[in-house]
Amino acid sequence: MSNVATFDTRTEAKIPVESPLAYSYRRSGAPAPTGKSRVVLRERPFLGHLILRGGAIVLDEAVREVLGVSLPGEPQGLVQDADGERSVQWLSPDEWLVIVPGGEEFTLENRLREALGDAHFAISNASGGQTLVELEGEAARELLMKSVIYDVHPSQFPVGKGVTTVFAKTTVILRRPDELRWELVVRRSFADYTYRWLLDAGDEYGIGVKG
Amino acid sequence: MSQLNRLARGGRIDRSRRLSFTFNGKRYQGHAGDTLASALLANGVDIVNRSFKYSRPRGIVAAGAEEPNAVVQLGKTEAGQVPNVRATQQALFDGLEARSTNGWPNVQRDLMSLVGKLGGQFMPPGFYYKTFMAPASLWMTYEKYIRKSAGLGRSPMENDPDIYDHLHQHCDVLVIGAGPAGLTAALAAARSGARVILVDEQEEMGGSLLDTRELLDDKPADQWVTEALKELAGLDNVTLLPRTTANGYHDHHFVTLHERRTEHLAETAPLKDGRRQVRSRMHRVRAGRVVLATGAHERPLVYGNNDVPGNLLAGAVSTYVRRYGVVPGKRLVLSTSNDHAYRAALDWLESGREVVAIADVRANPDGELVEQARAQGIRIIEGAAVIEAKGDSRVSGARVAKVDLDGFRVAGAVETLDCDTIASSGGYSPVIHLASHTGARPTWRDDILGFVPTLVKGVSAAGGAQGVYATAEVLADGVEAGRQAATEAGLPAASVSLPRVAARRDGTACALYQVPHEKPTLRGPKQFVDLQNDVTAAGIEVATREGFESIEHVKRYTAMGFGTDQGKLGNINGMAIAARLLGRSIPEVGTTVFRPNYTPVTFGAIVGRHCRELFDPERYTAMHQWHVEHGAEFEEVGQWKRPWYFPRQVNGKTETMHEAVARECRAVREAVGILDASTLGKIDIQGPDAREFLGRVYTNKWAQLAPGRVRYGLMCKDDGMVFDDGTTSCLGANHFLMTTTTGGAAGVLEWLELWHQTEWPELDVYFTSVTDHWATMTVTGPEARKLMAEITDIDLDKEAFKFMDWREGTVAGVPARVFRISFTGELAYEINVQANYALHVWETLFAHGDKYGLTPYGTETMHVLRAEKGFIIAGQETDGSVTPEDLGMHWAVGYDKPFSWIGQRALTRPDTARTDRKQLVGLKPRDAKVVLEEGAQIVFDPNHAIPMPMVGHVTSSYYSPTLDSGFALAVVKGGQQKMGETVYLPMADGQVHEAEIVSPIFLDPKGERQNV
Amino acid sequence: MFYIHCPYCGELREEEEFHPKGQAHIARPEDPESCSDEEWGDYLFFRDNPRGIHHELWVHAVGCRKFFNITRHTVTYEILETYKMGEQPRFTAEHPEGRPSQDGVEPAPLREGVRA
């Protein structure tokens, strides 16, 4: 075995999968969006989530080479590739979250490991442990104000920013990839609580859930 | 029903909208725009409550948050009951039902008032302390009686149907109070581009401008208010929050605002666009800067029987007349120490009713308002004050006399004036409550006869809140405060042109608090200082005589300023009286501390959405729905919901927990069981120094652990006490997967980071939580290998895949890591798969497991099985005072490791190295049917006199179906050297259980069952 | 509810995101085994409880997960500064108004490699 054991936890075999919110949809339902829905929720399940640890300078080069985007070096930075399918987010001075289309994560990990060689770094796969939830609509910001303690005013939370913060009585990673959308990266075990909270707090805005 | 005190015109009420309401069961009419208080006064309702201690009849005194008497219970339905509502703050709505909270059988005829009549001799200050403290055992009885007679309101006995929530707000400038100062402050800050929140507790914004006699730009002041609000409402950077009280000022400009969104509409929130709306909302505001524009409260004068209904604040009279079109009486006597209060007499006169006289304590009052009153022909008695009110359930006269303030005595003949209303004013007290919440002690200013707030960095006060009272100056003060706040926020100063206000010449006010009476205070009529808590001037005098000299002690002895009142009307008068009695100045005596909340806040708003099914997060594993569908009972482990046991239907009956656990235990010992172990914490550790790091944080050795192998480890704090345990697997030379206890996951990760970041940053290692990424299922029991063989490609040969090995491959077609670790003592495979596939793997196991008797088991069975093996649970066998040696786990301690690992040094400290420490042992009850109580205390000698020396306690105790006996783990002093000895467990019911100290390993001490 | 500037995130964040971890600058003795019992007891159990300026270790638990230090006034609760591991406070009991500038030279860490 090598110094680090890589392991593709995903399979191409036809195996039924369950997103962290699968149980929640069955239990709490998923109200369809209507014309009156001022906020719409959509899960983007089964994406590849990697946690990158290491020095910014070391990682930046490898990430640019492999992903084609530069590592956000500034705190709270979030960068995406041209089509917005792949993103890298600053979590800490030595920690980044990379989200890519599902199935790319293991190849990406291997290519990064190759590019990084003997440098001191770590890559951990978190794809089964979290899911991405999008909020869209004119009331999305107010819904977030009910839920997170962080200031979501556009002057403080411009596009291209992401933070880890308190959401109700749990935590989320909150990101703003573009003018219209907010993204919440939610831990699997807290996903049902987060979902039920959003439905409850969003009821006032006629929240709908996009399949 | 006629509103006998309602004026034909004037006020801001809508006479075209009649609202009907009931008070104490009687129906009345009011108008849109009324408060409950103004509507009650309009209908001539004098008595709104009975007082807290003496049960005296009480009427409405004020027009705002400072109202001490008209604190009512609202609610038509049981679920809609709301206690502690000030009638002066409750907007009238159609169908409102309110009741007095005090008075039995009713407020008009109150039996308790006999006590009030007998008065002070009966209930002196400290009454409760003196009367009810002994015997202490009867306090519960006393308390019921006191609460009933005091009638403090009650909470609903049914669930509240409404919804509440929180909103997290952030702003550059929070302006509290939307009177003249607050409005101009908000305008100045908003025009600079600052993010502004303007909050006001009243139904309408505008504060004193809504009832002032003054003109702004030659127009009624409310027109200017309308324009100002229109501008503010049109700005994106401004949030206006009417009906919202700033209740608490917390650290670093964190302010809680309580917004009442539907309280003015109906008892329960009406639907809006077919959807439920939030009834009240807590805004949790983090402000950059705060402008306190909270205004001032008028101080009543303290004279005899000043609590009889019909005694009002002068300013309240003006507010009722001008804002609500209600004149609360026929003949008015005004007692004042200042010019401003003359407004009340002028407003009263203009409403067409009689002003009998103004008693002005000053010798030669000569301000403009005084001249106006004279010109109107009002009689002014100079150098005089109302010394006593006449009347019982309503004022029937005022006894007025010249007073000598220096000598504190009545200086002339007493004249009794025929009147039904006495308005009084002793000047103004800036509302400094919020500033006090920050911890800053206020400063007394002789020139304004009041305390002004001491301001911490980032806070400013404007207008009445800092003793600036003339309207023109208040408006300018607000602009200055708003501009300064914006500038401090780094924004350019904006200009605000102020409306013209005619300058008014006011005479100097005179310091007057308690009015002297012919009789000494202790023998004269009651002079109330704090109406809500029934504190009198005599009470303060008694307190000082009994030696209470600190104002904080006087407060506690008399109850002055307690509770929901927080001393809004009474505190300054009380301090002034204490100061006079103690021969000190007011600043020397100082003030008590005002605390949050400023006015009562409903629990709903505090709780917000964090209630019922959203009270606390429930964490679920990927197999949760399966557990639910298979009838699991759940146990809460931290926030996780873990299956506790899986009761089955047997002969149409649901198994008891005992039956289910016995069956699950037998399945694991005899066939195969499965446990959802996904909740265990998992930490991915990578880096060339990972191994070195493990050696420092675990008590045992890690240097030789090869890839493919797993090891159990204990973690201590540096005091040598165990705080977590778990297995860690070597995935690669520089790569480990650590597991922690379910409850310890977050704490252990933070612990590793603490040491890495603060002590050993030179070690190259990273820690990342992967708890949620992996789902973990433990397949355990003699049939486990056969079952696994059906669905995995991993070589399960006992030589190829040994106990404490891990292997990777597929299980049910899914990539998996499988660990041969055992918490049951049986052959066990712990399967880890990516959580998205977990349900499929779990169900596949059951599809193949039926023929082997595969049985799901929960945490209770897990506990029995592990305890039979003497396996500890960190947090159950340990409590922060147990070392590895105490646990008998010498084998897991590497004393000869090169680095002094965390906890090692402490193990040789004299106390830690004692041989008579509480040590882990097994306990075998002499009576096999007995299952000892967890937590039960252990003694060596049950015949010892009480208190018996306690030598340990039971940490885990179960019935073992395998042993067919109760058994327990316990810590006992020196227990490891006492095998075979008998200990005793005296129980609360008098029984004494006997148990034998045995090895904590009850089953398979050699571990042959797991190692097959 | 404090408002705490995380020196790693570079911005003010709500107290709910942080955990307090006790007094700052408590370095683990370099060679524990050569410590007397008393020295080890001091390290384990004895902490200051000043009225005034106090240095505290906190962690941005819901955030960047980094440990850092806070200089806080225990009466006013004012946070005078926050600083990273390995840095020294500018505000101390001896210099409540801030240490005189050292021409940008950061003082050496307490011990090589130790950032406590």
Side-chain angles (χ1 to χ4, degrees):
Chain A
M1 282 193 197
S2 71
N3 283 342
V4 170
T6 57
F7 186 50
D8 190 358
T9 59
R10 208 168 174 281
T11 171
E12 291 305 319
K14 287 251 178 288
I15 301 279
V17 285
E18 291 244 306
S19 90
L21 282 176
Y23 170 55
S24 308
Y25 299 141
R26 293 191 289 263
R27 179 195 187 191
S28 306
T34 68
K36 284 185 178 169
S37 295
R38 294 172 57 209
V39 61
V40 172
L41 179 155
R42 184 168 81 138
E43 186 193 10
R44 304 262 319 276
F46 313 121
L47 300 178
H49 298 243
L50 294 180
I51 302 288
L52 244 55
R53 305 291 308 266
I57 297 166
V58 174
L59 290 176
D60 180 50
E61 202 174 315
V63 166
R64 265 189 291 139
E65 183 189 319
V66 174
L67 262 182
V69 300
S70 57
L71 194 78
E74 291 297 310
Q76 285 83 245
L78 168 70
V79 300
Q80 300 170 92
D81 67 358
D83 57 6
E85 290 289 311
R86 293 160 195 83
S87 64
V88 186
Q89 181 188 349
W90 186 98
L91 294 181
S92 151
D94 58 5
E95 184 171 1
W96 287 263
L97 169 64
V98 181
I99 300 184
V100 294
E104 288 186 10
E105 66 272 18
F106 190 63
T107 318
L108 175 64
E109 177 182 346
N110 286 330
R111 289 182 60 200
L112 283 171
R113 287 191 181 280
E114 199 175 320
L116 286 160
D118 289 334
H120 171 48
F121 67 95
I123 302 173
S124 302
N125 187 347
S127 307
Q130 51 201 36
T131 191
L132 191 81
V133 172
E134 290 180 353
L135 293 178
E136 220 172 322
E138 45 147 340
R141 187 161 75 84
E142 194 170 307
L143 176 55
L144 287 170
M145 286 171 72
K146 289 186 177 189
S147 314
V148 299
I149 59 174
Y150 196 84
D151 188 357
V152 291
H153 191 271
S155 65
Q156 299 299 310
F157 210 127
V159 170
K161 185 167 182 171
V163 298
T164 307
T165 191
V166 174
F167 177 104
K169 285 188 189 165
T170 178
T171 66
V172 293
I173 294 171
L174 177 65
R175 307 138 50 101
R176 195 150 173 242
D178 58 45
E179 291 290 343
L180 299 174
R181 277 182 309 134
W182 295 85
E183 289 176 347
L184 284 73
V185 182
V186 180
R187 277 181 78 175
R188 166 178 268 280
S189 55
F190 288 103
D192 182 73
Y193 168 79
T194 308
Y195 181 74
R196 284 188 290 117
W197 176 280
L198 287 168
L199 286 195
D200 190 65
D203 180 65
E204 188 178 345
Y205 315 113
I207 189 167
V209 178
K210 231 187 235 174
Chain B
M1 201 155 301
S2 71
Q3 299 176 37
L4 55 101
N5 285 332
R6 183 76 72 183
L7 298 169
R9 67 184 64 81
R12 304 178 61 77
I13 50 160
D14 180 356
R15 284 183 175 73
S16 69
R17 282 181 59 207
R18 285 183 162 270
L19 307 174
S20 106
F21 68 101
T22 69
F23 180 67
N24 286 331
K26 208 171 155 194
R27 186 164 292 279
Y28 300 98
Q29 300 271 320
H31 292 293
D34 263 326
T35 62
L36 175 58
S38 67
L40 287 168
L41 288 172
N43 285 282
V45 176
D46 293 333
I47 304 175
V48 295
N49 238 328
R50 287 278 170 170
S51 74
F52 169 68
K53 186 163 141 188
Y54 302 123
S55 220
R56 289 165 65 112
R58 290 284 164 80
I60 292 163
V61 168
E66 69 275 35
E67 172 60 38
N69 290 335
V71 178
V72 301
Q73 178 92 15
L74 282 192
K76 186 183 296 186
T77 62
E78 181 55 37
Q81 293 299 310
V82 184
N84 266 326
V85 175
R86 275 140 189 74
T88 49
Q89 294 190 293
Q90 175 61 50
L92 198 66
F93 56 79
D94 201 45
L96 181 147
E97 286 192 13
R99 277 175 310 287
S100 305
T101 51
N102 209 334
W104 183 81
N106 61 52
V107 287
Q108 301 297 328
R109 290 188 186 76
D110 186 304
L111 297 178
M112 284 299 295
S113 65
L114 188 64
V115 177
K117 285 248 173 71
L118 292 174
Q121 295 87 334
F122 227 67
M123 297 177 94
F127 174 73
Y128 294 111
Y129 304 124
K130 288 169 178 166
T131 312
F132 293 121
M133 285 325 285
S137 58
L138 276 180
W139 171 249
M140 295 299 279
T141 316
Y142 291 141
E143 198 205 0
K144 266 182 215 157
Y145 161 78
I146 293 166
R147 282 199 75 85
K148 191 178 173 198
S149 60
L152 296 169
R154 66 183 189 86
S155 41
M157 302 300 287
E158 289 176 9
N159 273 340
D160 189 334
D162 278 316
I163 50 173
Y164 302 83
D165 73 0
H166 296 164
L167 203 62
H168 300 96
Q169 300 262 23
H170 304 258
C171 65
D172 297 317
V173 183
L174 170 64
V175 181
I176 301 172
L183 283 172
T184 54
L187 282 170
R191 285 182 189 172
S192 293
R195 288 168 71 189
V196 175
I197 296 174
L198 175 63
V199 51
D200 192 276
E201 63 174 358
Q202 298 194 26
E203 290 296 307
E204 285 186 278
M205 291 188 163
S208 64
L209 296 178
L210 299 177
D211 58 39
T212 182
R213 299 172 62 82
E214 291 172 295
L215 301 177
L216 270 56
D217 284 338
D218 303 319
K219 289 178 288 193
D222 59 353
Q223 288 187 20
W224 182 85
V225 171
T226 307
E227 282 160 29
L229 287 173
K230 197 175 152 198
E231 178 182 341
L232 290 168
L235 294 171
D236 280 344
N237 53 330
V238 176
T239 305
L240 297 178
L241 293 172
R243 296 187 192 93
T244 304
T245 308
N247 272 294
Y249 200 132
H250 310 275
D251 301 316
H252 305 169
H253 312 311
F254 183 74
V255 183
T256 45
L257 313 177
H258 177 210
E259 182 190 14
R260 297 167 296 278
R261 293 169 67 84
T262 69
E263 259 91 341
H264 61 297
L265 299 173
E267 182 171 312
T268 50
L271 294 181
K272 188 181 179 189
D273 305 330
R275 294 188 179 276
R276 300 174 72 192
Q277 55 177 329
V278 171
R279 171 169 171 169
S280 82
R281 172 172 286 166
M282 188 73 80
H283 297 261
R284 307 176 78 221
V285 183
R286 181 64 73 177
R289 277 138 214 91
V290 176
V291 177
L292 298 172
T294 48
H297 286 152
E298 194 168 33
R299 278 196 299 272
L301 292 171
V302 179
Y303 49 92
N305 295 329
N306 57 340
D307 67 325
V308 174
N311 284 288
L312 280 90
L313 289 167
V317 167
S318 283
T319 301
Y320 285 118
V321 172
R322 298 186 64 86
R323 190 161 163 190
Y324 300 103
V326 172
V327 55
K330 297 192 174 62
R331 290 180 306 283
L332 173 77
V333 170
L334 171 67
S335 186
T336 181
S337 66
N338 61 78
D339 278 16
H340 198 244
Y342 275 69
R343 293 187 314 145
L346 295 167
D347 291 334
W348 189 279
L349 196 66
E350 279 170 25
S351 72
R353 300 203 177 173
E354 183 190 347
V355 176
V356 179
I358 298 174
D360 191 323
V361 76
R362 297 170 297 179
N364 296 298
D366 63 349
E368 269 183 48
L369 288 172
V370 181
E371 297 309 329
Q372 278 184 44
R374 279 208 179 95
Q376 300 277 345
I378 297 176
R379 179 186 173 201
I380 299 175
I381 310 170
E382 297 179 349
V386 171
I387 64 165
E388 182 180 347
K390 302 297 288 179
D392 212 351
S393 55
R394 170 82 197 201
V395 170
S396 63
R399 300 183 69 230
V400 177
K402 295 231 183 245
V403 290
D404 166 11
L405 294 184
D406 292 331
F408 194 68
R409 61 189 186 91
V410 170
V414 180
E415 180 184 0
T416 302
L417 300 174
D418 182 30
C419 67
D420 66 358
T421 306
I422 300 170
S424 77
S425 175
Y428 298 86
S429 301
V431 177
I432 57 173
H433 293 68
L434 290 171
S436 297
H437 297 175
T438 66
R441 291 269 168 173
T443 314
W444 179 261
R445 266 176 50 191
D446 272 326
D447 59 332
I448 63 149
L449 299 172
F451 280 104
V452 292
T454 304
L455 301 169
V456 300
K457 218 186 283 175
V459 189
S460 55
Q466 58 173 349
V468 175
Y469 298 129
T471 305
E473 290 171 35
V474 171
L475 290 162
D477 208 29
V479 171
E480 181 50 35
R483 194 179 279 157
Q484 190 195 328
T487 316
E488 283 173 10
L491 296 160
S495 76
V496 177
S497 57
L498 292 170
R500 278 190 319 284
V501 187
R504 192 180 77 198
R505 185 178 52 78
D506 279 349
T508 310
C510 165
L512 178 61
Y513 309 98
Q514 184 189 358
V515 179
H517 191 272
E518 308 130 281
K519 293 183 185 166
T521 305
L522 290 174
R523 278 191 239 132
K526 284 193 163 52
Q527 298 176 305
F528 284 91
V529 175
D530 177 337
L531 290 158
Q532 191 176 93
N533 295 298
D534 259 359
V535 178
T536 62
I540 294 172
E541 190 161 332
V542 170
T544 57
R545 280 189 183 188
E546 293 189 5
F548 294 90
E549 296 196 352
S550 152
I551 195 67
E552 293 286 359
H553 292 159
V554 171
K555 167 181 170 170
R556 277 154 189 82
Y557 198 51
T558 61
M560 177 176 74
F562 267 34
T564 63
D565 189 64
Q566 285 296 303
K568 293 184 186 72
L569 290 185
N571 257 25
I572 305 294
N573 282 332
M575 290 161 210
I577 291 167
R580 180 172 59 71
L581 293 166
L582 295 166
R584 299 187 198 147
S585 68
I586 293 177
E588 277 168 353
V589 167
T591 174
T592 56
V593 176
F594 301 106
R595 294 206 171 81
N597 286 318
Y598 177 66
T599 47
V601 181
T602 181
F603 278 109
I606 293 168
V607 169
R609 256 169 230 289
H610 300 281
C611 61
R612 302 189 181 115
E613 60 276 14
L614 291 171
F615 173 66
D616 204 40
E618 289 181 3
R619 300 180 69 180
Y620 299 147
T621 70
M623 290 80 92
H624 186 77
Q625 186 173 359
W626 191 96
H627 305 324
V628 172
E629 286 169 353
H630 289 76
E633 294 291 332
F634 288 91
E635 179 182 33
E636 285 175 20
V637 184
Q639 291 171 324
W640 287 99
K641 289 277 182 190
R642 297 194 69 178
W644 190 13
Y645 59 98
F646 291 83
R648 281 188 184 163
Q649 299 296 317
V650 180
N651 302 327
K653 278 171 71 182
T654 308
E655 282 178 330
T656 62
M657 174 164 150
H658 180 81
E659 290 163 351
V661 170
R663 174 179 50 73
E664 292 171 14
C665 286
R666 278 193 300 272
V668 174
R669 293 276 181 244
E670 294 162 13
V672 58
I674 184 166
L675 175 80
D676 181 352
S678 305
T679 62
L680 291 180
K682 303 169 205 81
I683 301 170
D684 191 35
I685 304 176
Q686 298 179 27
D689 295 319
R691 190 181 292 275
E692 169 65 23
F693 197 93
L694 290 174
R696 296 185 185 188
V697 295
Y698 274 129
T699 60
N700 51 343
K701 294 179 189 173
W702 295 84
Q704 302 302 322
L705 189 72
R709 293 290 291 164
V710 186
R711 182 163 291 172
Y712 172 82
L714 274 180
M715 263 185 220
C716 286
K717 299 236 159 146
D718 234 343
D719 60 3
M721 305 302 158
V722 171
F723 93 103
D724 208 84
D725 68 344
T727 60
T728 290
S729 307
C730 183
L731 304 181
N734 298 342
H735 193 183
F736 295 82
L737 180 70
M738 175 185 281
T739 67
T740 73
T741 58
T742 295
V748 169
L749 180 60
E750 194 171 285
W751 177 250
L752 303 179
E753 290 286 0
L754 170 69
W755 286 93
H756 185 226
Q757 290 179 37
T758 65
E759 285 286 345
W760 310 318
E762 69 280 6
L763 296 186
D764 282 341
V765 58
Y766 288 114
F767 313 96
T768 302
S769 169
V770 289
T771 301
D772 284 40
H773 175 65
W774 299 101
T776 305
M777 37 206 112
T778 304
V779 177
T780 179
E783 304 282 8
R785 183 175 283 123
K786 277 190 233 157
L787 170 57
M788 286 294 288
E790 292 194 18
I791 58 167
T792 183
D793 58 4
I794 296 170
D795 181 356
L796 300 176
D797 178 82
K798 66 177 179 178
E799 296 308 320
F801 189 3
K802 292 197 189 74
F803 182 56
M804 298 307 268
D805 277 349
W806 73 271
R807 294 291 179 265
E808 70 182 44
T810 64
V811 176
V814 175
R817 282 181 176 147
V818 178
F819 303 78
R820 266 202 69 185
I821 48 183
S822 176
F823 200 40
T824 59
E826 301 296 329
L827 170 66
Y829 297 94
E830 221 168 84
I831 306 162
N832 275 17
V833 292
Q834 203 216 71
N836 292 338
Y837 297 113
L839 190 60
H840 163 77
V841 176
W842 182 269
E843 286 179 334
T844 307
L845 280 161
F846 276 93
H848 292 260
D850 213 26
K851 53 185 169 294
Y852 303 108
L854 181 64
T855 302
Y857 67 94
T859 50
E860 189 65 20
T861 294
M862 174 190 85
H863 277 271
V864 176
L865 299 174
R866 66 90 198 170
E868 286 172 348
K869 288 287 299 173
F871 294 150
I872 64 151
I873 288 200
Q876 185 154 344
E877 270 60 57
T878 70
D879 59 4
S881 72
V882 180
T883 67
E885 295 291 350
D886 295 339
L887 293 169
M889 294 172 79
H890 183 82
W891 54 269
V893 185
Y895 287 104
D896 55 348
K897 288 198 282 182
F899 191 90
S900 180
W901 40 271
I902 299 171
Q904 177 174 7
R905 172 63 185 84
L907 294 182
T908 53
R909 297 183 76 236
D911 188 68
T912 327
R914 274 189 297 119
T915 53
D916 63 343
R917 291 176 59 82
K918 289 184 185 174
Q919 295 163 339
L920 185 75
V921 294
L923 288 186
K924 202 170 145 196
R926 293 279 181 216
D927 178 350
K929 289 192 290 295
V930 166
V931 177
L932 300 170
E933 268 183 41
E934 289 183 354
Q937 293 293 320
I938 297 166
V939 301
F940 290 142
D941 176 8
N943 300 315
H944 193 287
I946 291 173
M948 295 180 202
M950 291 177 284
V951 297
H953 64 272
V954 176
T955 57
S956 294
S957 177
Y958 312 94
Y959 165 77
S960 162
T962 311
L963 306 169
D964 191 22
S965 165
F967 74 107
L969 300 178
V971 287
V972 174
K973 276 191 180 176
Q976 286 162 2
Q977 300 306 316
K978 292 184 187 297
M979 292 296 148
E981 292 184 25
T982 300
V983 292
Y984 301 88
L985 299 100
M987 304 308 296
D989 62 4
Q991 279 194 80
V992 178
H993 296 305
E994 266 182 61
E996 182 190 344
I997 297 180
V998 296
S999 157
I1001 306 170
F1002 289 83
L1003 194 79
D1004 185 24
K1006 289 188 182 149
E1008 286 158 349
R1009 298 175 68 92
Q1010 66 198 8
N1011 212 355
V1012 291
Chain C
M1 289 286 256
F2 294 168
Y3 206 29
I4 299 170
H5 186 270
C6 171
Y8 295 98
C9 290
E11 57 180 29
L12 286 156
R13 306 285 281 257
E14 296 291 334
E15 183 181 331
E16 287 166 72
E17 294 183 359
F18 299 87
H19 295 166
K21 306 302 286 188
Q23 186 177 334
H25 306 295
I26 304 283
R28 189 178 199 247
E30 214 166 350
D31 183 3
E33 301 307 314
S34 69
C35 284
S36 69
D37 286 336
E38 194 180 343
E39 284 165 347
W40 194 250
D42 281 349
Y43 156 70
L44 285 181
F45 303 121
F46 286 83
R47 297 295 182 266
D48 299 332
N49 185 20
R51 182 185 167 85
I53 285 179
H54 190 43
H55 306 289
E56 299 167 345
L57 178 67
W58 287 66
V59 59
H60 194 180
V62 183
C64 65
R65 303 198 293 120
K66 292 292 175 221
F67 287 77
F68 62 96
N69 293 320
I70 285 179
T71 303
R72 186 171 71 90
H73 196 286
T74 58
V75 178
T76 65
Y77 286 13
E78 190 183 351
I79 293 174
L80 300 168
E81 63 184 332
T82 59
Y83 51 102
K84 295 178 182 176
M85 286 295 109
E87 294 176 356
Q88 291 296 306
R90 203 161 79 75
F91 297 89
T92 59
E94 294 72 38
H95 298 289
E97 305 300 325
R99 266 185 301 136
S101 159
Q102 307 202 337
D103 300 319
V105 179
E106 275 303 316
L110 297 176
R111 193 174 84 216
E112 194 59 40
V114 169
R115 305 184 185 180

